[in-house]
Amino acid sequence: MTSPASDASGAADLPDYAPIPRSALGPALNEQGYYVGRVERNLYWVTDGVYQSAFLTTRDGVVLFDAPPSIGHNLRRAVDEVAAANGVPNTVTHLVYSHHHADHAGAASLFEKDVVRVGHEETRRLLLRDDDPARPLPEVTFADRYTLEVGGERAELAWHGPNHSPDNIYIHFPGHDTLMLIDVVNAGWVPIYNTNLSEDIPGYMAAPATALSYPWTHFICGHLGRLATRDDVAVHQAYIADIEASATEALAAVDPVPFYMHYGENVWAGVKAHLDTVTERAAAPIVAKYTGVLASADIEVFTWTTTFAIMQSLRLDRGLSVSRPVHP
């Protein structure tokens, strides 16, 4: 009989990694697999340890911000738990999309059909394109800014340009000292593949500075098990800035000519060897510096792919060290 550790999945060959800093972890989940906690006053956040959502309770009902399918029906349980404890209505009257991605909006259809859905105008366009019944279209859209007022509570929604996605917005709760910005900073952790799978690298790199320009103490980042702080955003900025500096140095230091000469007419082999060498040189000091500071910094694949994405942005968006000089 094949043991679970040696089956075809290859689990027996999985590598070990550095311990996760305790500061990166959030509160324990309940028996249903979620945690719901107060952010400030009547603003709450919900997590399953991997994804996050938030909601405001008001005298006129509940405003939900994102509906990750991994949390799913536990969103309803969390709302009911808080509403019952505080003697307030538990009807979800509004649902705000931070952006269109299914991993943050795929449980939106679980809520009342007459809920008012709010999102950026690009979110509506992208959801029309995606044609996913799990993510109903927003009825209320905006271009740059929108103030959502429900039951005496207020959330300020703003689009400051593309970052993680073309439509990712900033959600500010001025009466709750809180900002919500999804898929840019991971509290206490490195970004996953390619800068959190972001579509606009310059926008992604600039987003934390925009976030810090708002007044807030609590930061809902959309992933993992705890809320973020201003210090978390600053550490993320330092990590990204170090990658940018290291990639800039590596682009200047690595001579591309030998790789292309070696592979001759196999141009893609030359490209791969050249850019992989640049990325490895750039990523190595980042892994060494941030292991033990940010969780999973030693998982070199994440720092490697984020470094690759930033290095490519330096080449293609900023024009640093393109592979060939301008032909005379």
Side-chain angles (χ1 to χ4, degrees):
M1 178 179 293
T2 302
S3 68
S6 60
D7 63 11
S9 70
D13 300 323
L14 291 177
D16 293 323
Y17 294 111
I20 298 300
R22 295 297 93 185
S23 60
L25 301 177
L29 306 181
N30 63 19
E31 292 181 355
Q32 287 76 37
Y34 71 90
Y35 170 85
V36 58
R38 189 191 307 270
V39 181
E40 193 163 306
R41 294 198 302 111
N42 55 328
L43 175 65
Y44 296 84
W45 70 295
V46 187
T47 184
D48 61 356
V50 180
Y51 280 85
Q52 298 175 3
S53 177
F55 62 90
L56 270 172
T57 60
T58 81
R59 62 175 181 256
D60 294 337
V62 175
V63 183
L64 180 65
F65 299 85
D66 277 354
S70 72
I71 304 178
H73 289 277
N74 278 337
L75 289 171
R76 165 52 65 194
R77 296 183 182 98
V79 167
D80 290 348
E81 174 186 336
V82 167
N86 295 310
V88 296
N90 69 344
T91 301
V92 175
T93 61
H94 294 73
L95 192 158
V96 175
Y97 291 121
S98 67
H99 63 305
H100 73 288
H101 285 163
D103 63 328
H104 290 277
S109 63
L110 298 181
F111 293 89
E112 289 80 356
K113 294 187 182 301
D114 58 351
V115 68
V116 177
R117 302 171 201 277
V118 182
H120 189 260
E121 60 187 18
E122 185 71 357
T123 299
R124 181 179 174 86
R125 187 191 72 79
L126 291 166
L127 290 177
L128 276 167
R129 177 201 66 182
D130 296 343
D131 192 25
D132 179 5
R135 292 173 285 162
L137 300 178
E139 297 87 6
V140 176
T141 62
F142 64 97
D144 296 315
R145 294 182 183 274
Y146 181 78
T147 299
L148 177 62
E149 294 184 276
V150 179
E153 301 295 343
R154 176 164 59 101
E156 300 285 352
L157 315 181
W159 181 79
H160 295 293
N163 48 74
H164 167 68
S165 68
D167 58 327
N168 201 30
I169 63 172
Y170 297 71
I171 304 169
H172 186 219
F173 303 91
H176 300 82
D177 199 16
T178 298
L179 184 72
M180 183 172 183
L181 174 65
I182 303 303
D183 281 339
V184 174
V185 176
N186 298 337
W189 295 70
V190 299
I192 64 165
Y193 300 101
N194 299 330
T195 61
N196 277 344
L197 303 175
S198 294
E199 299 176 47
D200 188 295
I201 303 303
Y204 170 88
M205 294 171 69
T210 302
L212 288 171
S213 72
Y214 282 84
W216 54 267
T217 299
H218 316 290
F219 188 89
I220 301 168
C221 59
H223 277 289
L224 301 161
R226 69 169 174 83
L227 296 175
T229 66
R230 298 186 79 90
D231 285 345
D232 287 318
V233 177
V235 171
H236 169 89
Q237 281 185 300
Y239 174 81
I240 296 298
D242 284 345
I243 291 176
E244 180 182 10
S246 190
T248 300
E249 183 278 330
L251 279 167
V254 175
D255 180 5
V257 173
F259 302 103
Y260 296 99
M261 290 184 63
H262 176 80
Y263 285 106
E265 63 185 12
N266 191 346
V267 177
W268 279 172
V271 168
K272 175 175 171 52
H274 171 216
L275 297 183
D276 283 0
T277 300
V278 171
T279 305
E280 287 164 9
R281 178 180 177 125
I286 309 303
V287 171
K289 180 176 179 178
Y290 285 92
T291 296
V293 177
L294 289 172
S296 294
D298 64 313
I299 300 182
E300 197 161 348
V301 64
F302 287 161
T303 294
W304 197 99
T305 62
T306 290
T307 302
F308 181 86
I310 290 174
M311 179 270 293
Q312 287 293 73
S313 178
L314 292 173
R315 293 179 62 248
L316 303 178
D317 296 318
R318 299 189 194 173
L320 297 185
S321 300
V322 293
S323 297
R324 297 173 182 270
V326 176
H327 194 280

